[in-house]
Amino acid sequence: MTRLHRGWAPEVLAGARCRWRRSAILASLSLALVGCAKHAPQDTLKPAGPNARTIDNLINPVFIVAGVIFVLVEGMALVFTLKYRHRDDAPEPVQIHGNTRLEVGWTLLPALILLAVAIPTIATIFKLSRRPAHAINVTVTAHQWWWEYDYPDLGVVTANELHMPLDQPLEITLKGADVIHSFWVPKLGGKTDVVPGRANHMSLRGDKVGTFLGQCTEFCGLSHANMHLKAMVQTRSDFDAWVAGQRQAAPEPAEGAPAADGKALFTQKSCSGCHTIGGVSSGKVGPNLTHVYSRTSFAGSMFEMSPVNLRIWLGNPPGVKPGSKMPNLKLSPDEINKLIAYLQTLK
Ligand code: CUA
C-alpha cells in the first residue's frame, strides 16, 4: 500500500478487503449449493407436465441470450477497468464528444435482441392461454390460508390436495375469498394471481404420476408461508376411485362409540358453523371435512395427517399456525380424542 486515498490506514483497508472476499466466497458457495440441491420438490426446471415444459422451453433460449450478454458486458467492463485504470504517469485521455455510429449501434442492437426474445415469449403466452379440450373444470378458491377445490361437474369439494388424472387437463377458475393470493405448482405450470372479485383462468396437466408441491406466492398475511398445496397426478383408475370415494356420504359412527361422541361435539362446539360435513353441517368458512381423513395433510397442507398432528392442531390452532382463522376452542384432551375418533371415520 503505497498510496492511500481518504486517509484509510493500510490495516483497515486490508481488513475490509478480506471481509469482502470472505462474503463473496460465501455467497458464491451458497448459490452453487442451492443449484445442486437434489431434493428440490418445487424445481420449475424439472417440469412434469406440458404447460411447465412449454415455460421451461422458453427459459432455456432466453437464459442463453441473457448469459452471453452478461458475460460480454461484465467481461468488457473488467478488461476496460484494468486496461484504462488510473496510472500516475498516464497522459490526459483524448476528449471526445459523442460517436453517432456507436450510439445508434448500442441503441439498435439491444432493441433487436429484445424483439428476438419477445417473439417466442408472446407465442408462449398465447399457447398457454388456450383453453384445452376435454378438460375437467375445477374452481380453486384461495382462503387465508388454505385452498378449496370444487369440481362442479363431478360433485366433489375438497381442500389443499388437488387430484388430477394423468394426461387430462384441468381447466381452473381461480377465485379469491379474502385477499390476493397466487396459485403455483412449479413442476406443472406457471403461477397465476388469485384476485377477489375476479375470475382468473389457467390450465394444468400432469404427464407423470406423482405428488407435486406448490404454494401461495403472493404475500397474503401472517400464514402466507404456511399456505402450501399438493397436486396429485393419478392414473385414470386411481382418479376415478378417488372421485367415487369423495361422492360417498359421510358414514354414521356406531352408537356409543367415541366417534359418535365426537360427532355430537362437532355440533356442540360450533365446528359445524365453519365446516361442511355432508349430511351433518354446511359451514363455509373452513375446509369441507366430509372426507378429511382421505387427505394426507391438513391446515393448508402444513401438517401431515395423523392423530398426533390433529391433537396438536385441535389443542391450539393459532398457536401452531399464526393467524389461523380457526380459534382455540379450549378443548379438553378427552374432547380432542373424541373429535379425532370422529374425523378418522371421515375417509
Ligand atoms: Cu395466500 Cu400467500
Side-chain angles (χ1 to χ4, degrees), residues 142-145 147 179-182 216-221 223-225 227:
H143 298 259
Q144 283 176 318
W145 289 276
W147 301 94
V179 298
I180 300 177
H181 303 262
S182 190
C216 178
T217 57
E218 180 75 44
F219 180 71
C220 55
S223 262
H224 155 69
M227 196 167 161

Side-chain angles (χ1 to χ4, degrees), residues 102-181:
L102 260 182
E103 286 162 19
V104 169
W106 73 50
T107 307
L108 270 185
L109 189 67
L112 287 176
I113 293 173
L114 286 179
L115 191 71
V117 169
I119 293 168
T121 305
I122 292 170
T124 302
I125 291 172
F126 277 99
K127 186 175 174 191
L128 289 175
S129 64
R130 244 177 263 148
R131 284 193 183 216
H134 313 295
I136 297 175
N137 291 314
V138 184
T139 301
V140 173
T141 307
H143 298 259
Q144 283 176 318
W145 289 276
W146 59 282
W147 301 94
E148 180 178 354
Y149 307 127
D150 182 357
Y151 299 68
D153 306 326
L154 303 177
V156 171
V157 179
T158 184
N160 302 317
E161 297 178 358
L162 181 69
H163 287 249
M164 42 203 293
L166 186 67
D167 284 327
Q168 187 177 2
L170 298 187
E171 173 61 26
I172 294 176
T173 305
L174 293 157
K175 290 186 174 170
D178 33 48
V179 298
I180 300 177
H181 303 262

Side-chain angles (χ1 to χ4, degrees), residues 1-5 13 86 88:
M1 290 304 301
T2 49
R3 302 176 69 250
L4 290 178
H5 294 286
L13 277 176
H86 175 75
D88 278 344

Side-chain angles (χ1 to χ4, degrees), residues 18-41:
C18 186
R19 267 196 304 278
W20 185 88
R21 203 174 304 154
R22 212 179 316 151
S23 321
I25 291 172
L26 270 179
S28 335
L29 262 179
S30 353
L31 263 180
L33 281 176
V34 168
C36 296
K38 280 217 169 58
H39 182 66

